Amino acid sequence: MPLDAYPVRTSVAVSDIQRAVAFYEGRLGLTALWSGPSARITGGGRVYGSGGGPALNVYQSVTAGKSEATLATWYVADLDQLVDELTAAGVEFARYEGLEHDARGITERAGGGRIAWFRDPDGNTFALEADV
């Protein structure tokens, strides 16, 4: 059976689960649907909901922050408002050389629309995108 018949969830490694909880729950406003062990770490994992179901698995690991690629993207209706809210909560938006960003850190997306990137405390990169 093809994989497109099943839900998919992104997994993100972090170096300190308590610091990650402060960021993902405190700054991003995500709600943990599940909390439990990760490998041998009691309470080392969280599954966060987004868009009506489980979407993001965050777990403590020595591999945290090793990828510079965007690990997950939220597709949002009002990018300006969400960037403003997250900035007020202490989230810093990344700027990349060679791209023109506005004062908020938003840039035009290839193919149309707009995008803004941010990183968690381990340097894991995430994006917010809007079609307008």
Side-chain angles (χ1 to χ4, degrees):
M1 180 169 269
L3 287 178
D4 65 359
Y6 302 96
V8 67
R9 182 181 312 157
T10 288
S11 292
V12 176
V14 298
S15 62
D16 180 323
I17 193 66
Q18 295 308 318
R19 181 176 70 170
V21 165
F23 179 79
Y24 288 93
E25 294 176 23
R27 293 187 189 233
L28 300 185
L30 295 175
T31 300
L33 302 177
W34 177 88
S35 173
S38 174
R40 296 184 185 102
I41 303 163
T42 303
R46 302 283 189 285
V47 173
Y48 292 104
S50 189
L56 185 64
N57 177 43
V58 176
Y59 64 98
Q60 187 166 316
S61 172
V62 296
T63 63
K66 302 288 186 193
S67 175
E68 294 183 27
T70 302
L71 299 177
T73 303
W74 281 270
Y75 295 90
V76 302
D78 190 336
L79 183 59
D80 295 293
Q81 179 181 346
L82 193 51
V83 167
D84 287 346
E85 289 174 8
L86 291 175
T87 298
V91 175
E92 293 182 28
F93 285 85
R95 287 169 169 74
Y96 293 100
E97 190 174 319
L99 297 176
E100 290 185 32
H101 298 85
D102 68 12
R104 295 179 172 107
I106 300 171
T107 188
E108 298 297 317
R109 181 182 67 193
R114 302 178 324 143
I115 187 168
W117 292 273
F118 65 90
R119 295 183 186 96
D120 75 1
D122 285 296
N124 295 308
T125 303
F126 299 93
L128 305 174
E129 287 191 28
D131 288 333
V132 290

